[in-house]
Amino acid sequence: TISSTAEKVVYLVVFHLSFVMFVWSYWKTIFTSPASPSNEFCLSKADKEQYEKEERPESQQEILRRAAKDLPIYTTTASRAIRYCDRCQLIKPDRCHHCSACDICVLKMDHHCPWVNNCVGFSNYKFFLLFLMYSLLYCLFVAATVLQYFIKFWTNELPDTHAKFHVLFLFFVAAMFFISILSLFSYHCWLVGKNRSTIETFRAPTFRNGPDKNGFSLGCSKNLREVFGDEKKYWLLPIFTSLGDGCNFPTRLVIMDPEQLTVSSQNEPAKSSGANQPFPTRPLSESQNRLLASDSQWVESGPEEENVKSGAKKHIIVSLES
């Protein structure tokens, strides 16, 4: 009949579409190389030699502070030291961690996933989320189409053939994977809404005013856009559309730093910060500014507003409405 033929066509289209998207996102998750910090976070040859010669941690930290004064870094270790990777010999950007399995520093590292044999981080986190979503839909689709035969099996309405055991096995496998993937996908959706990584959930990043798990949260909508991008038509495609460069992230906690609340009106670059301010304010990139465009307020001090309009160089702190 026409209706049965149409149902078969819809079934085949949905089946093949879900399978293609599942394979595509899985492929991108596996073969997208983890993003590493740029060369600006590496120590110069002179600083590296001096760092290796120094034996006192205080002297080594002074070298790192001098090298990091121009970098967009706002987090430290729990002991308030600059985060440095001795293995890769570079200053770690915010949210960057060293993966012992890949033996590299990974930008916005979430975790090392053995199921894809790759690190999940800034470069492929969107692909990983889509992989979970399409595998979840694929399992749901398989379980739903086999359900009627599964019911017939228990009501003894299914013909007595060897295929009925295949139906039973297929339903249980699809249902089992659906339940397990659903929990993992729900957890990562929660992480996206909070703008956290798995590592940051267990070990909160440390800012100047202390550890805070929500330090990078900009609100659910902006957090979502940071991962999936501005163009909604590309959200469901395994195409890289995440905002930013992976090295510099907007943070609402910068405005709470008493040293950074002072707006400098002097005509000098940000790199002239003193020793007491190793992490100077740095303008956000264009893509990150788009995240803050709608709700941003410029924190300034009275008469200095005219200096901004006249093009004077100054530090600008972005505050977000909670």
Side-chain angles (χ1 to χ4, degrees):
T1 62
I2 297 179
S3 59
S4 60
T5 304
E7 290 177 358
K8 290 181 180 178
V9 171
V10 172
Y11 173 84
L12 291 175
V13 170
V14 174
F15 176 81
H16 286 94
L17 182 61
S18 60
F19 181 76
V20 168
M21 297 304 293
F22 163 74
V23 173
W24 187 8
S25 57
Y26 185 51
W27 177 276
K28 294 286 289 185
T29 305
I30 294 176
F31 292 101
T32 300
S33 300
S36 299
S38 56
N39 293 331
E40 65 175 331
F41 291 91
C42 299
L43 294 180
S44 63
K45 185 177 180 180
D47 287 339
K48 188 182 300 183
E49 291 177 353
Q50 186 177 1
Y51 179 86
E52 293 175 351
K53 290 179 181 178
E54 293 290 346
E55 296 182 356
R56 295 187 303 129
E58 296 80 5
S59 300
Q60 291 179 333
Q61 277 296 304
E62 184 61 31
I63 296 174
L64 295 180
R65 287 180 181 275
R66 185 173 64 250
K69 66 180 181 179
D70 294 331
L71 300 177
I73 300 176
Y74 298 106
T75 59
T76 64
T77 64
S79 59
R80 300 307 177 95
I82 294 180
R83 300 170 63 245
Y84 180 76
C85 179
D86 293 305
R87 184 77 175 179
C88 299
Q89 295 185 328
L90 54 80
I91 297 173
K92 294 181 182 178
D94 293 341
R95 318 185 79 175
C96 175
H97 298 276
H98 185 86
C99 176
S100 57
C102 298
D103 197 26
I104 58 173
C105 282
V106 180
L107 295 179
K108 196 186 175 183
M109 180 178 175
D110 188 88
H111 68 287
H112 183 88
C113 182
W115 299 106
V116 299
N117 192 31
N118 197 7
C119 260
V120 177
F122 175 76
S123 61
N124 62 351
Y125 188 60
K126 176 190 174 183
F127 306 147
F128 178 73
L129 290 174
L130 293 179
F131 159 63
L132 293 179
M133 185 185 72
Y134 286 121
S135 58
L136 184 68
L137 294 177
Y138 189 62
C139 291
L140 178 62
F141 179 76
V142 172
T145 53
V146 179
L147 180 60
Q148 56 177 325
Y149 302 102
F150 179 76
I151 296 176
K152 289 181 180 180
F153 171 80
W154 289 105
T155 57
N156 295 322
E157 297 179 10
L158 197 66
D160 190 13
T161 62
H162 295 291
K164 64 180 183 180
F165 296 104
H166 298 164
V167 170
L168 184 65
F169 176 77
L170 182 61
F171 178 81
F172 273 114
V173 169
M176 179 184 65
F177 274 98
F178 173 80
I179 295 174
S180 59
I181 295 175
L182 178 62
S183 60
L184 182 60
F185 180 68
S186 301
Y187 173 69
H188 278 280
C189 286
W190 178 78
L191 289 180
V192 171
K194 297 291 185 179
N195 203 342
R196 301 180 194 170
S197 65
T198 301
I199 295 178
E200 291 167 351
T201 301
F202 292 97
R203 186 170 64 249
T206 302
F207 296 84
R208 280 178 176 250
N209 15 331
D212 194 303
K213 294 182 179 180
N214 295 319
F216 294 104
S217 180
L218 308 175
C220 186
S221 177
K222 293 181 177 64
N223 295 340
L224 188 66
R225 288 165 53 197
E226 186 173 309
V227 175
F228 289 94
D230 290 327
E231 299 289 337
K232 293 184 179 180
K233 60 183 178 181
Y234 298 123
W235 281 13
L236 299 181
L237 296 178
I239 301 174
F240 183 80
T241 55
S242 300
L243 300 181
D245 56 6
C247 297
N248 187 11
F249 296 92
T251 168
R252 65 180 181 84
L253 291 185
V254 174
I255 64 172
M256 300 173 64
D257 188 344
E259 294 186 18
Q260 290 182 336
L261 278 174
T262 304
V263 181
S264 174
S265 60
Q266 300 177 354
N267 293 329
E268 59 183 10
K271 64 181 181 181
S272 61
S273 303
N276 293 330
Q277 189 176 351
F279 308 127
T281 305
R282 173 167 169 167
L284 300 176
S285 65
E286 180 182 354
S287 60
Q288 291 169 334
N289 278 328
R290 291 204 302 271
L291 287 173
L292 309 175
S294 60
D295 298 330
S296 61
Q297 296 176 343
W298 302 105
V299 178
E300 303 177 31
S301 55
E304 295 176 347
E305 182 177 359
E306 296 299 325
N307 290 336
V308 178
K309 296 181 180 179
S310 62
K313 296 181 180 179
K314 61 193 303 185
H315 294 169
I316 299 175
I317 307 300
V318 179
S319 68
L320 299 176
E321 297 178 357
S322 347

